[in-house]
Amino acid sequence: MLIEQSAYSNRWRQVSPAAKGIFSLCGMVAAFAAASPGTALLVALIMTAASISGAGIPLLRYLRVAAPALFFLLASGLSLLISLDLGASTLGVSLHPAEPELLRIARVCCRSLACLAALLFLTLTTPLPDIISLLRRCKLPDTLLDLMTLCYRTLFVLSEAIHETITAQSARLGYATFAISLRSMGGLVGNLIVQVWQRSQALHLAALARNSDGALRFLENPHDNTSRNIFLAAASGSLVVALALILP
Amino acid sequence: MHIMEGFLPVKHAIGWSVASAPFVAYGLYSINRRIKENPEQRMLLGVAAAFTFVLSALKMPSVTGSCSHPTGTGLGAILFGPAAMAPIGMVVLLFQAILLAHGGLTTLGANIFSMAIVGPFAATAIYRLAKAMKLSFGISVFLAASLADLLTYVTTSAQLALAFPDPAGGFAASFAKFAAVFAVTQIPLAISEGLLTVVVFNALARFNPQELKEMNVVTVREVQV
């Protein structure tokens, strides 16, 4: 996962997740506050610049991470462009909506782009365990946080199991035709379900052996200059929001 | 079938989050109750979330030849119950946004509603209805998984149509437009996922009858009949 790699290796890895969360949140607020597509694009540019030149994410990796989402945005934007008139005597399909409608579509797409840049800023600079500890501080229910912690810790184990099974199945022509693929994948998922049960039983026993009393708690990573960074993030984030509000 | 980050207007984003909140809260309440009775359920549901996440990243063979990703809502609802699927789905959708930039934080509420609430509840209702009608296990599972997939995509189309009604034809035209665009990928996906879910239970009954018995979800006899 490219995002994971960047989250652990960027320049702002040690900056407090609260600071990065606040800046990202301000980016999203600014995206929604932007009145024109141009302003939303400016917000997107600021958030992208913060990720690339601030946190030192390589441009190529940034584009590779954003590419699927950008393709999805393009498809969504194009579907908004098509206009259907069901009430007309002949079914009216037009591809060229009126100008105010075009402006509205441009605003939606640019807002989406700015929000995506704000989301990528947070995810490319902050590892998931840091985000979970941030959510813990936001007083999310313990059960939900436990689900997240367990999910994060086992998803790589299960991904590895899937990868190995698919390699073994492919080596035996397990994905040669549609019918064989379906049978192989059924076996793979069935096997995975059994693993889910067995691994969760093993985890439960391991936790009991360590006197587990329920909730899963882990030590948090220490972060540098937390209050200074939070102040800086809040100040620069507010500036982005103010810019989005002031510009037409 | 995720709605992209920032795509929904702010009122809709908040509205769908408010609509999803009680289901997630009830799901958490039911999970807490399950954990109190059986403490090992804590680990099981956590690993189940990871299972749903990796399942959604699998490339599934599709009847039209193209590749799609399964949603796992039908399978998850039968294995872990529909109420638990709301918080599990929330975790999975959050992880997809954070780890894969798929979906988003502002559209999390809307995506939870279609994929973690409508899908699993529909799957359970259809599965129970099919069993009450004395349909065979295979057909019940196929109907539950594929119709849950279809209902998920119909919900997403309705969410988008509500947010972006067509200037000429209003909500109905916009809904028809989004539904038609998604149908190209979603109908073959729903059929594939229905077939896959049946094959999964057959594989379990054939190769892991003991484990299937221990899971206490469905019996081997049910699958084989």
Side-chain angles (χ1 to χ4, degrees):
Chain A
M1 272 180 259
L2 279 175
I3 292 186
E4 271 284 283
Q5 287 174 19
S6 294
Y8 280 101
S9 61
N10 69 87
R11 220 180 281 153
W12 287 348
R13 163 78 178 85
Q14 291 307 323
V15 173
S16 132
K20 291 181 277 194
I22 289 171
F23 188 66
S24 170
L25 185 71
C26 288
M28 287 188 192
V29 171
F32 278 98
S36 68
T39 313
L41 270 185
L42 182 71
V43 174
L45 228 83
I46 294 173
M47 299 313 285
T48 310
S51 311
I52 293 173
S53 49
I57 312 289
L59 178 67
L60 209 65
R61 181 180 290 175
Y62 189 89
L63 289 176
R64 276 179 65 192
V65 167
L70 290 178
F71 176 75
F72 202 65
L73 178 63
L74 185 75
S76 311
L78 283 178
S79 64
L80 283 184
L81 270 179
I82 305 167
S83 175
L84 269 183
D85 189 0
L86 293 177
S89 52
T90 52
L91 188 70
V93 181
S94 77
L95 253 174
H96 305 286
E99 202 166 312
E101 193 55 25
L102 271 180
L103 187 71
R104 199 172 71 104
I105 296 169
R107 201 182 295 147
V108 169
C109 292
C110 292
R111 179 183 69 204
S112 196
L113 204 65
C115 280
L116 177 71
L119 172 74
L120 285 181
F121 170 79
L122 177 71
T123 59
L124 286 167
T125 57
T126 321
L128 226 156
D130 282 4
I131 296 181
I132 295 176
S133 67
L134 179 66
L135 292 174
R136 193 180 294 280
R137 237 177 283 161
C138 295
K139 302 278 180 243
L140 236 70
D142 269 344
T143 315
L144 202 60
L145 294 167
D146 283 354
L147 284 185
M148 286 186 198
T149 310
L150 282 164
C151 180
Y152 183 68
R153 286 179 176 246
T154 32
L155 74 90
F156 297 101
V157 179
L158 294 182
S159 301
E160 190 64 30
I162 286 186
H163 182 71
E164 283 171 2
T165 314
I166 289 181
T167 307
Q169 287 175 327
S170 306
R172 290 157 182 81
L173 299 179
Y175 291 92
T177 63
F178 175 73
I180 298 175
S181 309
L182 203 66
R183 205 175 60 200
S184 299
M185 188 142 283
L188 164 71
V189 178
N191 189 282
L192 216 59
I193 292 173
V194 175
Q195 282 202 35
V196 166
W197 250 266
Q198 289 172 343
R199 282 181 195 279
S200 65
Q201 292 282 344
L203 275 173
H204 178 63
L205 284 180
L208 281 183
R210 287 158 182 78
N211 290 332
S212 158
D213 64 345
L216 303 162
R217 290 186 176 275
F218 295 91
L219 289 175
E220 284 182 22
N221 288 326
H223 297 286
D224 310 332
N225 303 321
T226 305
S227 28
R228 191 195 69 149
N229 284 334
I230 289 179
F231 173 74
L232 275 177
S236 48
S238 315
L239 217 70
V240 179
V241 176
L243 203 69
L245 284 171
I246 294 166
L247 287 177
Chain B
M1 270 308 293
H2 300 59
I3 300 178
M4 226 198 114
E5 179 71 283
F7 206 69
L8 288 181
V10 71
K11 276 183 197 161
H12 289 255
I14 295 173
W16 288 113
S17 305
V18 171
S20 303
F23 290 94
V24 175
Y26 175 71
L28 282 174
Y29 165 76
S30 84
I31 287 181
N32 279 334
R33 228 178 36 189
R34 276 168 79 167
I35 291 176
K36 209 171 268 178
E37 284 166 18
N38 300 303
E40 68 270 17
Q41 292 273 329
R42 181 192 305 276
M43 299 296 183
L44 174 66
L45 294 171
V47 183
F51 167 72
T52 317
F53 180 87
V54 294
L55 199 67
S56 66
L58 270 183
K59 279 202 186 97
M60 191 168 64
S62 170
V63 276
T64 49
S66 66
C67 272
S68 282
H69 304 283
T71 59
T73 48
L75 185 62
I78 296 171
L79 288 175
F80 313 113
M85 280 308 281
I88 289 180
M90 179 183 171
V91 171
V92 172
L93 288 165
L94 186 70
F95 274 40
Q96 282 175 341
I98 293 174
L99 294 175
L100 307 170
H102 201 57
L105 301 182
T106 57
T107 51
L108 190 64
N111 286 332
I112 289 174
F113 196 86
S114 65
M115 264 174 272
I117 296 169
V118 172
F121 276 99
T124 312
I126 295 164
Y127 178 66
R128 286 191 187 154
L129 190 73
K131 275 181 81 177
M133 287 165 69
K134 303 252 185 299
L135 293 179
S136 76
F137 179 80
I139 293 175
S140 309
V141 168
F142 175 79
L143 286 177
S146 50
L147 289 179
D149 248 26
L150 285 180
L151 276 169
T152 301
Y153 116 80
V154 167
T155 311
T156 310
S157 304
Q159 287 172 330
L160 285 171
L162 272 175
F164 306 103
D166 197 277
F171 170 80
S174 183
F175 176 73
K177 178 181 74 182
F178 283 115
V181 170
F182 292 140
V184 181
T185 54
Q186 293 303 312
I187 291 178
L189 170 75
I191 297 170
S192 299
E193 183 151 2
L195 289 174
L196 177 70
T197 314
V198 176
V199 177
V200 167
F201 277 107
N202 283 341
L204 275 174
R206 189 166 165 209
F207 300 116
N208 306 87
Q210 187 58 36
E211 283 87 353
L212 196 64
K213 198 176 153 195
E214 282 164 18
M215 284 177 210
N216 203 18
V217 183
V218 288
T219 61
V220 178
R221 183 173 291 177
E222 255 181 316
V223 180
Q224 281 164 349
V225 169

